[in-house]
Amino acid sequence: MAKFFDKLVSKIFKEKPIDWDQLEADLVSSDLGIRQTMEIVDELQSLGRKVKADDVVEKVKSHINDILPEDEQALSPLENGKPYVITMVGVNGVGKTTSAAKLAFLLKNQGYSVMLVAADTFRAAAVEQLEVWSQRLGVEFVKGAPNADPSSVCYTAHEKAEREGIQFVICDTAGRLHTKQNLMAELDKIKRTLQKHNEDAPHLSLLVVDATTGSNAMQQAKEFSKAVTLNGLVVTKLDGSGKGGILVSIYRELNIPTRFIGIGEEPEQFEEFRRQRFIDELL
Ligand SMILES: Nc1nc2c(ncn2[C@@H]2O[C@H](COP(=O)(O)OP(=O)(O)OP(=O)(O)O)[C@@H](O)[C@H]2O)c(=O)[nH]1
Ligand SMILES: [Mg+2]
């Protein structure tokens, strides 16, 4: 995972005494958010002694540990024989389709049966992209007619999955901007349609955000959570210049826990989020 405090560490170890303005700037640029940054700096300054680099490292770690929730349980199939339904939503290009495929791969490797559903029906290329993934990974795939209503594709897929005893259904949706009312309403329709099969569906509604977009990801999380119930976050592209701090601020502000992280383009470069591991790898 990206060591998002690399820069910070190298600076604070060189500079004694600590340059507070610089520390603030570095914490903010790690996407930890202004609120967290101010709290960390205040707490350090109120230690009442000369603050050392180790103090900063410890404080950042303990602060994040206090904010983030306990890890969620790994996903497990429903016991009533119906499929566990996962929807992937987010703005364009964040990594929804890739993450849907990677998640299918992860679940398949845990021994579960999985179906990928192409509910991004706007572009033929989008359907094809997911189809190629499903063939490569050897998982079930369902698509609709070109330009079909995404809800109907999800409805049919659920029916098929239930009939065939498939344990996990992952619905990939088209990228959309929160400003497009009709597209946001479509997400709600997908949910309502799935609920005709199972009132608890979707069991996991994942917002996918690209870590390299920094505070934009926070904005997306705010807007999407107004339109749909989100109960998990996927943070992609943490292998690049992505600053993982964003997942801390999103949880703090919106209570959406990070469930998975993407750390590359390959199917295995995707992990369940683990708080301790994240903190250990920060510095
Ligand atoms: N380096 C890196 N690249 C990623 C990661 N996740 C996705 N990508 C790349 O990001 C690009 C966009 O991914 P998609 O999965 O097509 O994104 P999308 O959200 O489905 O895009 P739309 O359907 O067009 O909205 C692809 O080139 C992916 O390979 C990641 O964790 N790390
Ligand atoms: Mg896509």
Side-chain angles (χ1 to χ4, degrees):
M1 188 198 294
K3 300 216 170 195
F4 73 97
F5 284 118
D6 264 2
K7 222 173 57 188
L8 168 64
V9 176
S10 57
K11 271 185 190 142
I12 54 181
F13 278 90
K14 269 187 239 136
E15 287 167 27
K16 294 171 189 165
I18 285 171
D19 176 342
W20 292 102
D21 289 341
Q22 188 60 53
L23 175 60
E24 252 179 58
D26 288 336
L27 289 172
V28 169
S29 74
S30 74
D31 295 333
L32 260 187
I34 307 280
R35 182 171 168 200
Q36 280 66 248
T37 299
M38 298 326 274
E39 285 169 354
I40 290 169
V41 169
D42 282 353
E43 285 170 31
L44 284 168
Q45 288 181 335
S46 63
L47 282 178
R49 56 175 163 82
K50 186 166 174 287
V51 174
K52 298 192 297 277
D54 282 353
D55 297 323
V56 177
V57 172
E58 279 319 303
K59 180 57 73 184
V60 170
K61 287 189 172 190
S62 67
H63 200 77
I64 292 174
N65 189 62
D66 290 345
I67 291 174
L68 292 179
E70 302 256 321
D71 292 339
E72 301 279 340
Q73 299 277 315
L75 300 184
S76 56
L78 300 182
E79 280 167 10
N80 60 6
K82 289 179 185 265
Y84 184 105
V85 183
I86 303 165
T87 51
M88 317 288 292
V89 304
V91 302
N92 297 90
V94 286
K96 292 177 295 301
T97 305
T98 314
S99 298
K102 288 166 159 180
L103 180 53
F105 183 68
L106 188 141
L107 291 166
K108 188 190 174 201
N109 284 343
Q110 290 172 357
Y112 301 128
S113 52
V114 189
M115 173 188 281
L116 281 169
V117 183
D120 177 352
T121 56
F122 286 118
R123 295 173 299 124
V127 176
E128 201 179 305
Q129 183 191 0
L130 196 66
E131 187 161 24
V132 169
W133 270 114
S134 69
Q135 286 161 356
R136 182 172 162 197
L137 303 175
V139 299
E140 281 275 338
F141 174 72
V142 167
K143 64 178 172 186
N147 288 315
D149 180 351
S151 308
S152 75
V153 180
C154 293
Y155 186 86
T156 311
H158 193 292
E159 214 163 50
K160 184 167 195 276
E162 200 171 337
R163 198 168 54 235
E164 296 178 6
I166 289 172
Q167 294 163 302
F168 287 94
V169 168
I170 307 175
C171 305
D172 180 33
T173 67
R176 68 198 71 221
L177 271 181
H178 57 81
T179 47
K180 300 263 193 251
Q181 287 288 327
N182 55 333
L183 293 182
M184 295 307 274
E186 187 184 270
L187 292 179
D188 194 53
K189 187 173 174 195
I190 291 178
K191 179 177 101 180
R192 283 184 283 113
T193 309
L194 284 165
Q195 287 177 344
K196 290 182 187 164
H197 286 298
N198 184 348
E199 60 183 22
D200 299 328
H203 305 88
L204 191 59
S205 171
L206 292 172
L207 176 73
V208 184
V209 296
D210 173 343
T212 61
T213 64
S215 56
N216 270 335
M218 168 62 88
Q219 204 49 38
Q220 291 156 23
K222 279 186 183 157
E223 297 297 341
F224 272 77
S225 56
K226 282 183 203 156
V228 280
T229 313
L230 299 170
N231 49 10
L233 195 70
V234 178
V235 183
T236 64
K237 311 189 193 183
L238 276 169
D239 49 311
S241 59
K243 309 270 180 33
I246 196 64
L247 68 86
V248 179
S249 359
I250 291 180
Y251 183 75
R252 183 87 181 268
E253 288 226 9
L254 300 165
N255 235 21
I256 306 171
T258 298
R259 298 299 302 266
F260 301 96
I261 54 170
I263 46 176
E265 299 193 66
E266 294 306 314
E268 57 281 359
Q269 290 174 322
F270 188 78
E271 297 172 0
E272 280 176 65
F273 178 75
R274 292 285 166 252
R275 177 175 65 177
Q276 194 55 52
R277 176 136 188 240
F278 176 72
I279 292 169
D280 288 346
E281 291 184 3
L282 285 178
L283 302 160

